[in-house]
Amino acid sequence: MIVRGDRNEVGKLIDGFNGINQIGVIGWGSQGPAQARNLRDSLKDTGINVKVGLRHGSSSMEKARAVGFTEESGTLGEMYDVIHESDLVILLISDAAQVRHYREIFGAMKPKAVLGLSHGFLLGYLESISEKFPENISVVGVCPKGMGPSVRRLYEQDSGINCSFAVEQDIDGDATDIAIAWAVAIGAPYIFQTTLRDEYRSDIFGERGVLLGAVHGIVEALYRHFVSRRDVTVCDAFRMSAENITGPISSAISKEGILGLYNSLQIHEQAIFDIAYVTAYNPSKALLQEIYDEVASGNEIRSVVMAGDRLKEFPLGTIDATYMWGVAGRDVRESREKTGEPPIEPLTAGVYAATMMAQVDVLKARGHSWSEICNESIIEAIDSLNPYMHARGVAYMVDNCSTTARLGARKWAPRFDYAVMQQILVRYENVRAESNSLILRFKNHDVHRALATCQEMRPPIDIAVA
Amino acid sequence: MIVRGDRNEVGKLIDGFNGINQIGVIGWGSQGPAQARNLRDSLKDTGINVKVGLRHGSSSMEKARAVGFTEESGTLGEMYDVIHESDLVILLISDAAQVRHYREIFGAMKPKAVLGLSHGFLLGYLESISEKFPENISVVGVCPKGMGPSVRRLYEQDSGINCSFAVEQDIDGDATDIAIAWAVAIGAPYIFQTTLRDEYRSDIFGERGVLLGAVHGIVEALYRHFVSRRDVTVCDAFRMSAENITGPISSAISKEGILGLYNSLQIHEQAIFDIAYVTAYNPSKALLQEIYDEVASGNEIRSVVMAGDRLKEFPLGTIDATYMWGVAGRDVRESREKTGEPPIEPLTAGVYAATMMAQVDVLKARGHSWSEICNESIIEAIDSLNPYMHARGVAYMVDNCSTTARLGARKWAPRFDYAVMQQILVRYENVRAESNSLILRFKNHDVHRALATCQEMRPPIDIAVA
């Protein structure tokens, strides 16, 4: 089911929010400020109060006040008070905080209230410890397909960002209407249906795959591969790997699709793309299936929770201080105006496209919907994350995303790197060498000279055949 | 508790094997042939029958017959028949087969029989799915600290290999005697006590750490680091990284301990070792704690089981076809006679020693015994695995160990590689640059000239102080 949203039809929104007098937006991270403001703007004059809930003494209190959420106007309060008062509780605190505090949060909610999530992580965690949501509340998900700042900016520009929605628990038959109304009110132009389980699986899987982990590992390995060639400078190696994916390859896919990227190549480049694609598809798919199994089994979520306990003693270091990101990447970005966009490197394009297609195939085989597959494997990469990485660098992006995503990227990027280095490039070079030697043998084959001689002795061509 | 073994005291062995008329050795992998032959030789003329049990049609049947286990003599039979007949069932089939068949195996055992394991993996698996061993059998572990071929070879050389032993379930008070008798009979000179839980944790942890995963990742990253220096050839880079650890560093630790390795360095080399050690210790420890948590939580064992299901579609590729292992490593091994052993590279030694010490500290903090810590972190690496890697290459070793170890090495080596590249070498180079610039500033400091001038003008030295 895909719904076309139109937030200007305010009357219908109120119908959808039947029985909702107050929406509590809990947390002020990436999604909180965006959704709270979009909801307030959309629901102006409807009588529905949008109230932000934060911990006492939180440094975010000041930020919320700065954009007009205040205690005086009844639109800002203590987190558990707001949870207790609200008919729809939109829980936008971090994954780690959800895992730490879910019992108190559930305990504070009114019976028959609706819990709203923008991510299925909490369901995944409850499943991994064999627990459930309380039976006396409804649980819905509305998951914008982009970061909070984009959710706000695109709303202001009157275009909005697509959302998936899911109804996990519906105690009185209103949950679907409420979820759709929430999605419309934060500005979603298209709203497609999923389940919270599919959502957390594809989301956690996707960021460990082609959205973050895979792209990081692939460009590290390809950069080293190009650097090892004597005729390539480090800056050109960066342009042929990281810059290529976040720049021209992403633009080509964004405009023409993955097949369009392929069709845009010259025939001799397609030959290289073909070898790269064929050698990359299976090793990438093996890793992506491993990631999916780890996410679906609850292992990956348990790992995130255990990592949280270690972060105090061992904070995550940054990954952007290596020569590739700290020197080559910066130089390439700074010299862009002068050098222009590099041509598409067919080896890089083949490896990247194979990984993207393998991710699509893994999600399809596990029963995900096409809208979810395209969003988590292609559109979010091409239109949201890669452009950001193009501006700041892949390593910067990894160092500045959510802890769950950051841990995942650090865990899986090295695996993709090793797959490229140990499986893909080794086979690619062998096939290239083999085809080079076959082509050389073809070019130097004695038959050509023999044929030429025959030609001299043969009858005129274009003989009429009776 | 540490027991001194002496397998020639056959009388005592029979006392230990009180009530055991037949020992069934199930499986013919690495440990099976070694333990079956050692047991047969030790128990000759005692009346205790050592019988090998294999699946009907197994290709190992022929190998067992070739060393004298035959159906005719009652020393070879079908696996479940042998399990059903035996008083002590030593289960040496692969981890994957144990997980697949444990229900049938438990079902085939006589009540009050003893199940013997040489590895705690099965206990770890049962814990991860909240199951238990049957209550009507005893369960003991005897875990040789080396590969099967070493267990046999060292027995033949009359020296033997150390074992840990564990009593997991003891239904009639005989289990400890039986475990010690088994260890003595396979030739253990020293036998130290542990628990099956500690054993599987330290074993799976150890092979993911410094025994396989860490050493592979570290040498990949250091090799690249040395290759990137213009004054170093690829073969020298290999000598400074992989060859250094498996050769001179291992010999030095084997002969003099880790502190002896350090003391063998020149003072200027110790300065480099110090920086390497200090920058490497924390990033390595963070990864090792992550590995320990993953093993202890059951995540790692669940991952091994899930990987087993994927291996049919995506068999594990080898990792030894890259330039480093396929060309540089082979050339270095072939040129050893000419070039001799390389000098200890203090950067490599510092990183390696820091990882080894971090592994010791993680095991100590989790309550493991010193004998287990030393075996799983130092002795097995230095005396068993590294010499093998020295002969064949680290990648060859990884490609030819058990599936459980192989999966672990492929999972964690890239993480150690990235830790070395992103955290350790970046900080190491910064500290080196900082100390270089401080030293340069020291050398060029104006005070030296001023002091020289003062010196010319100052009174004669050696002024008598009243």
Side-chain angles (χ1 to χ4, degrees):
Chain A
M1 173 167 123
I2 296 178
V3 180
R4 177 91 172 80
D6 181 352
R7 68 173 184 269
N8 299 315
E9 305 247 359
V10 176
K12 288 188 192 154
L13 277 188
I14 297 179
D15 287 351
F17 280 130
N18 188 24
I20 305 287
N21 296 310
Q22 179 171 303
I23 300 175
V25 178
I26 311 302
W28 198 261
S30 162
Q31 287 288 333
Q35 294 201 26
R37 284 190 285 175
N38 291 10
L39 285 164
R40 181 178 61 184
D41 294 352
S42 292
L43 298 172
K44 199 171 42 157
D45 309 324
T46 62
I48 300 174
N49 187 35
V50 176
K51 187 167 182 177
V52 171
L54 298 170
R55 308 295 296 263
H56 272 313
S58 157
S59 60
S60 301
M61 281 275 184
E62 222 24 77
K63 295 180 197 154
R65 285 189 202 107
V67 295
F69 293 97
T70 63
E71 285 93 336
E72 297 71 37
S73 62
T75 55
L76 178 62
E78 193 278 331
M79 167 173 159
Y80 288 104
D81 292 342
V82 176
I83 291 172
H84 188 64
E85 291 165 2
S86 298
D87 308 299
L88 167 60
V89 176
I90 299 180
L91 190 68
L92 301 176
I93 59 178
S94 73
D95 295 339
Q98 292 190 23
V99 164
R100 252 193 321 275
H101 301 299
Y102 72 94
R103 281 192 203 84
E104 300 94 294
I105 292 166
F106 293 168
M109 285 184 70
K110 287 195 288 195
K112 303 212 171 187
V114 181
L115 176 65
L117 302 166
S118 280
H119 180 23
F121 189 92
L122 182 57
L123 171 65
Y125 177 68
L126 294 177
E127 289 191 333
S128 81
I129 57 169
S130 302
E131 288 203 27
K132 284 182 189 305
F133 290 108
E135 284 177 7
N136 64 346
I137 59 169
S138 289
V139 180
V140 301
V142 166
C143 313
K145 296 296 133 191
M147 302 174 288
S150 311
V151 170
R152 179 60 184 168
R153 201 162 45 246
L154 289 169
Y155 180 91
E156 289 171 331
Q157 293 167 7
D158 219 17
S159 59
I161 206 159
N162 288 343
C163 293
S164 61
F165 85 94
V167 176
E168 176 68 18
Q169 248 175 230
D170 186 359
I171 55 166
D172 53 13
D174 288 339
T176 303
D177 284 352
I178 290 170
I180 293 174
W182 168 16
V184 172
I186 59 173
Y190 289 94
I191 306 151
F192 54 90
Q193 189 165 20
T194 183
T195 65
L196 265 191
R197 178 175 297 110
D198 270 0
E199 197 285 327
Y200 85 74
R201 288 184 175 188
S202 67
D203 189 72
I204 299 177
F205 165 74
E207 70 197 13
R208 278 144 178 77
V210 87
L211 295 183
L212 284 172
V215 74
H216 178 215
I218 287 171
V219 300
E220 288 271 355
L222 290 179
Y223 168 79
R224 288 204 309 276
H225 170 73
F226 292 125
V227 164
S228 77
R229 281 173 41 179
R230 283 205 205 139
D231 56 335
V232 175
T233 67
V234 286
C235 283
D236 280 339
F238 192 91
R239 288 189 190 96
M240 294 161 80
S241 54
E243 183 83 350
N244 225 269
I245 288 178
T246 60
I249 291 174
S250 287
S251 318
I253 298 177
S254 181
K255 285 177 202 136
E256 311 284 345
I258 306 175
L259 213 50
L261 163 73
Y262 184 76
N263 291 332
S264 77
L265 297 174
Q266 306 287 318
I267 288 185
H268 66 279
E269 294 170 330
Q270 287 183 342
I272 292 175
F273 180 103
D274 288 349
I275 303 174
Y277 188 95
V278 167
T279 53
Y281 181 84
N282 265 314
S284 288
K285 193 173 181 191
L287 265 176
L288 288 160
Q289 291 211 345
E290 182 175 346
I291 297 173
Y292 197 96
D293 286 347
E294 292 290 304
V295 173
S297 70
N299 270 3
E300 196 70 20
I301 287 172
R302 269 186 294 268
S303 295
V304 169
V305 174
M306 290 190 292
D309 297 336
R310 286 190 308 268
L311 287 178
K312 283 150 247 159
E313 191 180 353
F314 299 106
L316 284 175
T318 62
I319 67 171
D320 65 353
T322 60
Y323 189 88
M324 175 181 178
W325 301 109
V327 182
R330 202 194 48 217
D331 287 356
V332 166
R333 283 193 296 279
E334 280 172 4
S335 64
R336 259 181 210 156
E337 279 197 15
K338 232 174 31 221
T339 57
E341 203 170 64
I344 288 176
E345 167 58 42
L347 164 58
T348 304
V351 173
Y352 186 68
T355 306
M356 199 165 246
M357 295 302 291
Q359 182 160 317
V360 166
D361 289 344
V362 168
L363 284 171
K364 194 70 202 153
R366 307 298 174 114
H368 290 262
S369 67
W370 275 119
S371 52
E372 194 160 63
I373 292 171
C374 290
N375 269 298
E376 297 291 352
S377 306
I378 306 170
I379 297 168
E380 195 170 340
I382 299 308
D383 290 346
S384 178
L385 299 184
N386 290 1
Y388 188 88
M389 293 179 184
H390 201 58
R392 306 282 187 90
V394 176
Y396 182 89
M397 172 93 217
V398 171
D399 281 340
N400 287 277
C401 54
S402 76
T403 303
T404 303
R406 220 173 147 191
L407 289 165
R410 295 166 77 90
K411 186 168 177 178
W412 295 101
R415 298 289 304 280
F416 281 98
D417 181 323
Y418 269 43
V420 172
M421 171 178 72
Q422 294 169 342
Q423 311 302 327
I424 299 170
L425 286 175
V426 165
R427 232 188 109 206
Y428 172 83
E429 293 292 344
N430 287 347
V431 174
R432 289 259 288 166
E434 193 187 335
S435 74
N436 277 347
S437 84
L438 271 178
I439 295 296
L440 202 67
R441 213 178 127 228
F442 162 72
K443 286 184 178 166
N444 296 327
H445 204 287
D446 289 340
V447 76
H448 303 313
R449 226 162 11 102
L451 192 64
T453 309
C454 292
Q455 199 129 359
E456 288 167 20
M457 302 180 192
R458 83 191 218 202
I461 50 173
D462 302 327
I463 305 167
V465 177
Chain B
M1 174 168 124
I2 296 178
V3 181
R4 177 91 173 78
D6 181 352
R7 67 171 185 272
N8 299 315
E9 305 247 358
V10 175
K12 287 188 193 154
L13 275 188
I14 297 178
D15 288 351
F17 281 130
N18 188 24
I20 305 287
N21 296 310
Q22 178 171 301
I23 300 175
V25 178
I26 311 303
W28 199 261
S30 164
Q31 287 288 334
Q35 294 202 26
R37 283 190 286 175
N38 291 11
L39 285 164
R40 181 178 60 184
D41 294 354
S42 292
L43 298 172
K44 198 170 43 159
D45 308 324
T46 62
I48 299 175
N49 185 35
V50 176
K51 186 165 182 178
V52 171
L54 299 171
R55 307 296 297 265
H56 272 312
S58 158
S59 61
S60 301
M61 281 274 185
E62 221 22 77
K63 295 179 196 155
R65 285 188 202 108
V67 294
F69 293 99
T70 61
E71 285 93 336
E72 297 70 38
S73 62
T75 56
L76 178 61
E78 193 278 332
M79 166 173 160
Y80 288 104
D81 292 342
V82 176
I83 291 172
H84 187 64
E85 292 165 1
S86 299
D87 308 299
L88 168 59
V89 176
I90 300 180
L91 190 66
L92 301 177
I93 58 179
S94 72
D95 295 339
Q98 292 189 24
V99 164
R100 253 196 319 276
H101 301 298
Y102 72 94
R103 280 193 203 83
E104 300 93 295
I105 292 166
F106 293 167
M109 285 184 70
K110 288 196 288 197
K112 303 210 171 188
V114 181
L115 176 65
L117 302 167
S118 279
H119 180 24
F121 190 92
L122 183 57
L123 171 66
Y125 176 68
L126 294 177
E127 289 191 333
S128 80
I129 56 168
S130 302
E131 288 202 27
K132 284 181 190 305
F133 290 108
E135 284 176 8
N136 65 345
I137 59 170
S138 289
V139 180
V140 302
V142 166
C143 313
K145 297 296 132 190
M147 302 173 290
S150 311
V151 169
R152 179 60 184 168
R153 200 161 47 243
L154 289 169
Y155 180 93
E156 288 170 331
Q157 292 166 9
D158 219 18
S159 59
I161 206 159
N162 287 344
C163 293
S164 61
F165 85 94
V167 176
E168 176 68 20
Q169 250 176 224
D170 186 359
I171 55 166
D172 54 12
D174 288 339
T176 304
D177 284 352
I178 291 170
I180 293 174
W182 167 18
V184 172
I186 60 172
Y190 289 95
I191 306 151
F192 55 90
Q193 191 165 20
T194 183
T195 65
L196 266 191
R197 179 175 297 110
D198 269 2
E199 197 285 326
Y200 85 74
R201 287 183 175 188
S202 67
D203 189 73
I204 300 178
F205 166 73
E207 70 196 13
R208 277 143 180 77
V210 89
L211 296 182
L212 284 172
V215 74
H216 177 216
I218 287 171
V219 299
E220 288 270 357
L222 289 179
Y223 168 79
R224 287 203 310 276
H225 169 73
F226 292 125
V227 165
S228 76
R229 281 174 40 178
R230 285 204 205 140
D231 56 336
V232 175
T233 68
V234 287
C235 283
D236 279 338
F238 192 91
R239 287 188 191 98
M240 295 162 81
S241 53
E243 182 83 349
N244 226 267
I245 287 178
T246 58
I249 292 174
S250 286
S251 320
I253 297 177
S254 181
K255 284 175 202 138
E256 310 284 346
I258 306 174
L259 212 52
L261 163 73
Y262 182 75
N263 291 331
S264 76
L265 298 174
Q266 306 287 317
I267 288 186
H268 67 278
E269 294 170 330
Q270 287 183 343
I272 292 174
F273 180 104
D274 289 349
I275 303 175
Y277 188 96
V278 167
T279 53
Y281 180 84
N282 265 314
S284 288
K285 194 175 181 190
L287 264 176
L288 289 160
Q289 290 212 345
E290 182 175 345
I291 297 173
Y292 197 96
D293 287 347
E294 293 289 304
V295 172
S297 70
N299 270 4
E300 197 70 19
I301 287 171
R302 269 186 293 269
S303 296
V304 169
V305 174
M306 289 190 292
D309 297 335
R310 285 189 308 268
L311 286 178
K312 283 150 247 157
E313 191 180 355
F314 299 105
L316 283 176
T318 63
I319 67 172
D320 65 353
T322 59
Y323 188 88
M324 174 180 179
W325 302 109
V327 182
R330 201 194 50 216
D331 287 356
V332 166
R333 282 193 296 279
E334 280 172 6
S335 65
R336 260 181 210 154
E337 278 197 19
K338 238 180 18 225
T339 58
E341 204 171 64
I344 288 176
E345 167 59 43
L347 163 58
T348 303
V351 173
Y352 186 69
T355 305
M356 199 166 245
M357 294 302 291
Q359 183 161 317
V360 166
D361 289 344
V362 168
L363 284 171
K364 194 70 201 153
R366 308 297 174 116
H368 290 261
S369 67
W370 274 119
S371 51
E372 193 160 64
I373 292 170
C374 290
N375 270 298
E376 298 291 353
S377 307
I378 306 170
I379 296 168
E380 194 170 340
I382 298 309
D383 291 347
S384 178
L385 299 184
N386 290 0
Y388 188 86
M389 292 178 186
H390 200 57
R392 305 283 185 91
V394 175
Y396 181 90
M397 171 92 217
V398 170
D399 281 341
N400 288 277
C401 54
S402 76
T403 302
T404 303
R406 218 174 149 190
L407 289 166
R410 296 167 78 90
K411 187 168 176 177
W412 296 99
R415 299 289 303 280
F416 281 96
D417 180 323
Y418 269 43
V420 172
M421 170 177 72
Q422 293 170 344
Q423 311 300 327
I424 299 170
L425 286 175
V426 165
R427 235 190 105 205
Y428 173 83
E429 293 292 344
N430 287 346
V431 174
R432 289 258 290 167
E434 194 187 334
S435 74
N436 277 347
S437 86
L438 270 178
I439 295 297
L440 203 66
R441 217 179 125 226
F442 162 72
K443 286 185 178 166
N444 294 327
H445 204 286
D446 288 340
V447 75
H448 304 312
R449 224 158 15 99
L451 190 65
T453 309
C454 292
Q455 200 129 356
E456 286 168 20
M457 301 180 191
R458 82 192 217 202
I461 50 173
D462 300 328
I463 305 168
V465 178

Short mmCIF file of all heavy atoms in Angstrom, two decimals, chain B residues 17 24 34 42 79 93 112 115 169 190 192 210 254 279 281 285 318 327 333 340 378 382 386 397 430 444 456:
data_model
loop_
_atom_site.label_atom_id
_atom_site.label_comp_id
_atom_site.label_asym_id
_atom_site.label_seq_id
_atom_site.Cartn_x
_atom_site.Cartn_y
_atom_site.Cartn_z
N PHE B 17 40.90 -45.25 34.96
CA PHE B 17 39.82 -45.65 34.04
C PHE B 17 38.88 -46.68 34.67
O PHE B 17 38.37 -47.56 33.99
CB PHE B 17 40.43 -46.21 32.75
CG PHE B 17 40.91 -45.15 31.79
CD1 PHE B 17 42.17 -45.20 31.23
CD2 PHE B 17 40.05 -44.11 31.41
CE1 PHE B 17 42.60 -44.24 30.33
CE2 PHE B 17 40.48 -43.14 30.51
CZ PHE B 17 41.75 -43.21 29.97
N GLY B 24 35.40 -45.16 23.06
CA GLY B 24 35.06 -44.93 21.66
C GLY B 24 35.61 -43.57 21.22
O GLY B 24 35.32 -42.56 21.86
N ALA B 34 45.15 -38.88 16.10
CA ALA B 34 46.21 -38.74 17.10
C ALA B 34 45.78 -39.36 18.43
O ALA B 34 46.49 -40.19 19.00
CB ALA B 34 46.54 -37.25 17.30
N SER B 42 49.06 -46.39 24.70
CA SER B 42 49.21 -46.29 26.16
C SER B 42 48.49 -47.42 26.88
O SER B 42 48.91 -47.83 27.96
CB SER B 42 48.64 -44.94 26.65
OG SER B 42 49.43 -43.88 26.22
N MET B 79 29.65 -45.22 13.75
CA MET B 79 29.69 -44.18 14.78
C MET B 79 28.68 -44.41 15.91
O MET B 79 29.05 -44.45 17.09
CB MET B 79 29.46 -42.84 14.08
CG MET B 79 29.14 -41.68 14.95
SD MET B 79 29.12 -40.14 13.95
CE MET B 79 28.15 -39.09 15.02
N ILE B 93 34.33 -35.20 16.35
CA ILE B 93 33.83 -34.73 15.05
C ILE B 93 33.83 -33.20 15.05
O ILE B 93 34.00 -32.58 16.10
CB ILE B 93 32.42 -35.29 14.76
CG1 ILE B 93 31.43 -34.88 15.87
CG2 ILE B 93 32.49 -36.82 14.67
CD1 ILE B 93 30.00 -35.37 15.64
N LYS B 112 24.96 -43.43 32.46
CA LYS B 112 26.17 -43.46 33.29
C LYS B 112 27.47 -43.51 32.48
O LYS B 112 28.56 -43.63 33.06
CB LYS B 112 26.16 -44.63 34.28
CG LYS B 112 24.93 -44.59 35.19
CD LYS B 112 25.26 -45.20 36.52
CE LYS B 112 24.11 -44.95 37.49
NZ LYS B 112 24.46 -45.36 38.84
N LEU B 115 30.84 -38.70 28.53
CA LEU B 115 31.08 -38.01 27.26
C LEU B 115 32.36 -37.20 27.40
O LEU B 115 32.49 -36.39 28.33
CB LEU B 115 29.90 -37.08 26.93
CG LEU B 115 30.05 -36.23 25.67
CD1 LEU B 115 30.10 -37.10 24.42
CD2 LEU B 115 28.91 -35.21 25.56
N GLN B 169 30.19 -32.38 34.28
CA GLN B 169 29.12 -33.12 34.97
C GLN B 169 29.72 -34.40 35.52
O GLN B 169 30.42 -35.11 34.80
CB GLN B 169 28.02 -33.50 33.97
CG GLN B 169 26.74 -32.74 34.17
CD GLN B 169 25.65 -33.02 33.16
OE1 GLN B 169 25.03 -32.08 32.70
NE2 GLN B 169 25.42 -34.26 32.80
N TYR B 190 51.97 -32.16 31.40
CA TYR B 190 51.33 -31.37 32.44
C TYR B 190 49.86 -31.21 32.09
O TYR B 190 49.50 -31.03 30.92
CB TYR B 190 51.97 -29.98 32.57
CG TYR B 190 53.35 -30.03 33.16
CD1 TYR B 190 54.47 -30.07 32.33
CD2 TYR B 190 53.52 -30.06 34.54
CE1 TYR B 190 55.73 -30.15 32.87
CE2 TYR B 190 54.80 -30.13 35.09
CZ TYR B 190 55.89 -30.17 34.26
OH TYR B 190 57.15 -30.24 34.80
N PHE B 192 46.44 -29.13 33.35
CA PHE B 192 45.95 -28.10 34.27
C PHE B 192 44.43 -27.99 34.19
O PHE B 192 43.82 -28.21 33.15
CB PHE B 192 46.62 -26.76 34.02
CG PHE B 192 46.51 -26.25 32.62
CD1 PHE B 192 45.45 -25.45 32.23
CD2 PHE B 192 47.49 -26.56 31.67
CE1 PHE B 192 45.36 -24.98 30.95
CE2 PHE B 192 47.40 -26.09 30.38
CZ PHE B 192 46.33 -25.30 30.01
N VAL B 210 45.06 -13.22 19.09
CA VAL B 210 46.46 -13.22 18.69
C VAL B 210 46.90 -14.53 18.02
O VAL B 210 47.91 -14.56 17.34
CB VAL B 210 47.34 -12.86 19.92
CG1 VAL B 210 47.73 -14.08 20.71
CG2 VAL B 210 48.56 -12.06 19.49
N SER B 254 59.86 -17.08 22.62
CA SER B 254 59.92 -18.48 23.02
C SER B 254 61.11 -18.73 23.94
O SER B 254 61.01 -19.47 24.91
CB SER B 254 60.02 -19.36 21.77
OG SER B 254 60.05 -20.72 22.14
N THR B 279 50.81 3.12 21.49
CA THR B 279 49.72 3.45 20.57
C THR B 279 48.86 2.22 20.25
O THR B 279 47.69 2.36 19.90
CB THR B 279 50.25 4.05 19.25
OG1 THR B 279 51.23 3.18 18.69
CG2 THR B 279 50.88 5.40 19.48
N TYR B 281 48.27 -0.61 22.35
CA TYR B 281 47.65 -1.36 23.43
C TYR B 281 46.13 -1.13 23.52
O TYR B 281 45.34 -2.08 23.51
CB TYR B 281 48.33 -1.04 24.77
CG TYR B 281 47.72 -1.80 25.94
CD1 TYR B 281 48.12 -3.09 26.23
CD2 TYR B 281 46.72 -1.23 26.72
CE1 TYR B 281 47.55 -3.80 27.28
CE2 TYR B 281 46.13 -1.93 27.76
CZ TYR B 281 46.56 -3.21 28.05
OH TYR B 281 45.99 -3.91 29.09
N LYS B 285 43.13 -3.69 22.71
CA LYS B 285 42.34 -4.17 23.84
C LYS B 285 40.85 -3.94 23.60
O LYS B 285 40.02 -4.78 23.95
CB LYS B 285 42.78 -3.46 25.12
CG LYS B 285 42.26 -4.14 26.37
CD LYS B 285 42.81 -3.50 27.63
CE LYS B 285 42.28 -4.21 28.86
NZ LYS B 285 42.63 -3.47 30.09
N THR B 318 39.75 -18.78 -0.63
CA THR B 318 41.03 -18.68 0.06
C THR B 318 41.44 -17.21 0.15
O THR B 318 40.90 -16.36 -0.56
CB THR B 318 42.13 -19.44 -0.69
OG1 THR B 318 42.30 -18.82 -1.97
CG2 THR B 318 41.75 -20.88 -0.86
N VAL B 327 53.01 -13.70 -3.85
CA VAL B 327 54.29 -13.37 -4.49
C VAL B 327 55.36 -13.04 -3.45
O VAL B 327 56.35 -13.75 -3.31
CB VAL B 327 54.11 -12.19 -5.48
CG1 VAL B 327 55.43 -11.90 -6.17
CG2 VAL B 327 53.03 -12.51 -6.51
N ARG B 333 60.19 -16.63 1.63
CA ARG B 333 60.48 -17.96 2.19
C ARG B 333 61.54 -18.68 1.36
O ARG B 333 62.42 -19.35 1.90
CB ARG B 333 59.19 -18.80 2.25
CG ARG B 333 58.30 -18.41 3.43
CD ARG B 333 57.20 -19.43 3.70
NE ARG B 333 56.26 -19.53 2.59
CZ ARG B 333 55.25 -18.68 2.38
NH1 ARG B 333 55.06 -17.68 3.22
NH2 ARG B 333 54.44 -18.84 1.36
N GLY B 340 69.12 -15.13 5.36
CA GLY B 340 69.15 -15.30 6.81
C GLY B 340 67.95 -14.64 7.46
O GLY B 340 67.08 -14.08 6.79
N ILE B 378 50.00 -16.96 24.49
CA ILE B 378 51.43 -16.85 24.21
C ILE B 378 52.00 -18.16 23.69
O ILE B 378 52.48 -18.23 22.55
CB ILE B 378 52.19 -16.40 25.48
CG1 ILE B 378 51.57 -15.11 26.04
CG2 ILE B 378 53.67 -16.18 25.15
CD1 ILE B 378 52.07 -14.71 27.40
N ILE B 382 53.40 -18.83 19.96
CA ILE B 382 54.85 -18.80 19.75
C ILE B 382 55.41 -20.15 19.35
O ILE B 382 56.28 -20.25 18.49
CB ILE B 382 55.52 -18.33 21.06
CG1 ILE B 382 55.06 -16.93 21.41
CG2 ILE B 382 57.03 -18.39 20.96
CD1 ILE B 382 55.19 -15.94 20.29
N ASN B 386 52.74 -19.97 15.15
CA ASN B 386 53.65 -19.10 14.40
C ASN B 386 54.73 -19.88 13.64
O ASN B 386 55.03 -19.54 12.48
CB ASN B 386 54.28 -18.05 15.32
CG ASN B 386 53.25 -17.01 15.77
OD1 ASN B 386 52.09 -17.09 15.40
ND2 ASN B 386 53.69 -16.04 16.57
N MET B 397 47.94 -20.83 6.69
CA MET B 397 47.47 -21.35 7.98
C MET B 397 45.98 -21.04 8.16
O MET B 397 45.20 -21.91 8.54
CB MET B 397 48.28 -20.69 9.10
CG MET B 397 47.78 -20.95 10.50
SD MET B 397 48.59 -22.40 11.21
CE MET B 397 47.21 -23.11 12.13
N ASN B 430 52.23 10.33 14.22
CA ASN B 430 52.15 11.66 14.85
C ASN B 430 53.14 11.79 15.99
O ASN B 430 53.83 12.81 16.12
CB ASN B 430 50.73 11.92 15.38
CG ASN B 430 49.76 12.18 14.25
OD1 ASN B 430 50.18 12.42 13.11
ND2 ASN B 430 48.48 12.12 14.54
N ASN B 444 68.90 21.91 17.32
CA ASN B 444 69.17 23.22 16.73
C ASN B 444 68.97 24.37 17.70
O ASN B 444 68.92 25.53 17.31
CB ASN B 444 68.27 23.44 15.50
CG ASN B 444 68.62 22.46 14.40
OD1 ASN B 444 69.78 22.08 14.24
ND2 ASN B 444 67.61 22.03 13.66
N GLU B 456 83.37 29.32 26.85
CA GLU B 456 84.66 29.96 26.57
C GLU B 456 85.01 31.00 27.63
O GLU B 456 86.17 31.28 27.89
CB GLU B 456 84.61 30.66 25.20
CG GLU B 456 84.67 29.66 24.05
CD GLU B 456 84.31 30.33 22.72
OE1 GLU B 456 84.41 31.57 22.63
OE2 GLU B 456 83.91 29.59 21.79
#
